[in-house]
Amino acid sequence: SCCPQLEQPMTMMFKSLAATLLLSSATQAFSTVTKTDMSPSYLSNVPEGPPDAILGIAEAFKSCTDERKVNVCVGAYRDATGKPWILPSVRKAEERLLVDPTVNKEYAPIAGDAKYVDLALGFAYGTDADMSKLAGVQTLSGTGACRVGGHFLSKFVPKPEGMDKVPIYIPNPTWGNHIAIFNNCGMDVRRYRYYNSKTNRLDYDGLIEDLKEAPEGSVILLHACAHNPTGCDPTMEQWKDISDLIKSKKHHCFFDSAYQGFASGDAEADASALRLFVSEGHNVVLAQSFAKNFGLYGERTGTLSVVCNSLEERSAVMSQLKLIIRPMYSSPPIHGSSIVKTVLTDEELTAEYYDNCKEMATRINAMRVKLVEVLKEVGSEHDWSHVTEQIGMFAYTGMNSDMCDELTSKYSIFLTRDGRISLAGLNDGNIEYVAKAVHDVTAGKSITS
């Protein structure tokens, strides 16, 4: 070459120009194809699905620009300043995990971390429970537990005569996701009366009547404590009668436990109904979540367990649960379960955890009592005693959908349209504002129906 010093730059320039021309040609070709050659897709026939009732409200709250806005919709704990709270015991456990050289990010087994599962089941059933008869697997929090449990029951519970699906009776009202979960499991979702809107209290007589009328061998879904959304739990005497009725009808119990320890501040007391049913000889199925009581909302930490009669039954049930899980999500995440395991294997952290849990329950109950007090102070003449009698995260107020809509449109107070208020969203800075707004939309109107 006569100009060797120009050869490399010129070569690079031509290569760049060629690449540009090639990209331009490909872009034009793709544009032509997209305009003329693509046939109609099945995607054009996919309908728009409805937004989730609760998460949609949360999104509306985020986009609201009103400085007065209050979120009493989503069931997640907030501290006295309205902020999410990581339990100090959970934070300490997490810090230990970060510096533990034995911790890794390997896959968990299909059934999850066996040590975590044992500790979780001991937390629910009691440390003196016969673990050899408990078939337990780690799940994607309580939702995943319900999904796996529903699939298992749909497959193995005998169908009542004349029915092509296994019926599951869930309380009316209940957590809204229960309906979709068990429908998608192929079960026949039915309702039993639970809440009496004329008294704003448990409809115990209706509950008993509906469980008596249910076909023999139905699955009965029960909230272990702090019923969502009503906060109305049966007394222990009533639980005993429900247990006897279920046994006489040969029904199958499915407990959903999302609030153990969070409800009353006493995890042992909150497990009383579950443990009663086990002591009465029921082959209980239990969906257990650590979202609320450990504050592990985003870690998706839970278990599903089945009380079996023998080691042989346990082995068979475990094998079938694994066969359900493997093609569904293969194995569970490990971070949240490692936190729970770390807390429950250390005496000091366990003691601190129980204090943390009691602190949450105490604040929630204080807001429950104060809301009723402030409602009276601002002039409400309604009887709000049902609110103070309830337990757990929510207050089921008795307000109708029109009242709830007015709270949102007029006061930017976001809540579900069934009148459920998340007490965790209340604090000393907003409770008077909320009480005055509730008084405004309910004054002169009935909160019973």
Side-chain angles (χ1 to χ4, degrees), residues 319-338:
S319 71
Q320 292 297 335
L321 293 177
K322 290 177 186 179
L323 289 173
I324 292 169
I325 291 169
R326 177 59 172 159
M328 187 182 291
Y329 57 85
S330 190
S331 65
I334 61 174
H335 189 66
S337 58
S338 296

Side-chain angles (χ1 to χ4, degrees), residues 348-360:
E348 289 186 8
L349 283 182
T350 299
E352 184 175 4
Y353 163 72
Y354 279 110
D355 288 341
N356 297 159
C357 210
K358 187 173 183 179
E359 183 178 342
M360 290 190 291

Side-chain angles (χ1 to χ4, degrees), residues 224-245:
C225 64
H227 179 272
N228 178 9
T230 70
C232 296
D233 288 350
T235 65
M236 287 308 297
E237 292 77 16
Q238 290 171 332
W239 275 122
K240 178 64 169 65
D241 291 341
I242 294 169
S243 169
D244 291 343
L245 172 56

Side-chain angles (χ1 to χ4, degrees), residues 33-45:
V33 169
T34 57
K35 289 179 180 178
T36 60
D37 294 348
M38 287 188 70
S39 60
S41 167
Y42 73 93
L43 298 174
S44 62
N45 295 318

Side-chain angles (χ1 to χ4, degrees), residues 119-132:
L119 289 163
L121 299 190
F123 183 78
Y125 292 99
T127 54
D128 59 345
D130 183 359
M131 301 297 290
S132 69

Side-chain angles (χ1 to χ4, degrees), residues 4-14:
Q5 70 273 23
L6 294 179
E7 184 174 313
Q8 187 173 1
M10 289 294 288
T11 301
M12 292 177 63
M13 181 184 73
F14 281 121

Side-chain angles (χ1 to χ4, degrees), residues 342-353:
T342 302
V343 170
L344 294 181
T345 51
D346 183 280
E347 288 186 6
E348 289 186 8
L349 283 182
T350 299
E352 184 175 4
Y353 163 72

Side-chain angles (χ1 to χ4, degrees), residues 111-404:
D113 181 335
K115 179 64 174 176
Y116 153 77
V117 172
D118 285 347
L119 289 163
L121 299 190
F123 183 78
Y125 292 99
T127 54
D128 59 345
D130 183 359
M131 301 297 290
S132 69
K133 302 292 181 62
L134 293 174
V137 295
Q138 184 177 338
T139 60
L140 306 182
S141 201
T143 302
C146 286
R147 185 68 175 81
V148 173
H151 190 122
F152 175 80
L153 293 169
S154 178
K155 187 173 183 179
F156 293 106
V157 168
K159 300 176 181 64
E161 186 176 353
M163 300 187 67
D164 58 359
K165 292 182 178 181
V166 175
I168 181 168
Y169 282 76
I170 62 178
N172 186 20
T174 191
W175 177 49
N177 213 17
H178 279 149
I179 300 168
I181 289 170
F182 296 116
N183 270 327
N184 287 336
C185 290
M187 304 186 81
D188 181 358
V189 178
R190 301 183 176 194
R191 312 302 293 270
Y192 64 86
R193 283 171 285 176
Y194 192 86
Y195 187 76
N196 187 339
S197 59
K198 294 179 180 178
T199 63
N200 283 326
R201 284 167 176 83
L202 177 70
D203 186 358
Y204 180 68
D205 292 339
L207 180 156
I208 292 296
E209 183 177 343
D210 288 349
L211 296 192
K212 283 182 179 178
E213 293 298 319
E216 186 173 287
S218 296
V219 177
I220 311 299
L221 182 78
L222 303 163
H223 294 224
C225 64
H227 179 272
N228 178 9
T230 70
C232 296
D233 288 350
T235 65
M236 287 308 297
E237 292 77 16
Q238 290 171 332
W239 275 122
K240 178 64 169 65
D241 291 341
I242 294 169
S243 169
D244 291 343
L245 172 56
I246 288 176
K247 190 179 294 185
S248 71
K249 290 283 297 186
K250 299 180 181 178
H251 293 325
H252 308 279
C253 313
F254 191 157
F255 274 93
D256 188 356
S257 180
Y259 296 95
Q260 184 189 349
F262 191 99
S264 68
D266 183 343
E268 297 299 299
D270 291 346
S272 296
L274 168 69
R275 295 177 187 179
L276 169 68
F277 274 63
V278 174
S279 70
E280 296 273 301
H282 294 276
N283 292 115
V284 166
V285 178
L286 170 67
Q288 180 185 25
S289 168
F290 288 103
K292 306 291 194 301
N293 53 5
F294 268 71
L296 298 176
Y297 303 99
E299 302 293 354
R300 314 314 295 146
T301 307
T303 71
L304 177 81
S305 54
V306 183
V307 177
C308 303
N309 297 313
S310 66
L311 296 177
E312 291 76 18
E313 279 188 5
R314 179 187 183 277
S315 178
V317 169
M318 284 294 294
S319 71
Q320 292 297 335
L321 293 177
K322 290 177 186 179
L323 289 173
I324 292 169
I325 291 169
R326 177 59 172 159
M328 187 182 291
Y329 57 85
S330 190
S331 65
I334 61 174
H335 189 66
S337 58
S338 296
I339 291 172
V340 174
K341 180 173 67 174
T342 302
V343 170
L344 294 181
T345 51
D346 183 280
E347 288 186 6
E348 289 186 8
L349 283 182
T350 299
E352 184 175 4
Y353 163 72
Y354 279 110
D355 288 341
N356 297 159
C357 210
K358 187 173 183 179
E359 183 178 342
M360 290 190 291
T362 299
R363 196 189 91 73
I364 291 291
N365 194 54
M367 289 297 101
R368 182 184 297 283
V369 173
K370 188 168 184 178
L371 176 62
V372 173
E373 290 175 348
V374 178
L375 279 166
K376 293 178 181 177
E377 291 172 4
V378 299
S380 178
E381 297 180 355
H382 287 300
D383 176 9
W384 297 99
S385 61
H386 59 284
V387 171
T388 52
E389 292 174 10
Q390 295 164 3
I391 190 172
M393 182 175 285
F394 305 111
Y396 208 58
T397 62
M399 291 187 292
N400 61 35
S401 57
D402 291 339
M403 296 171 183
C404 296

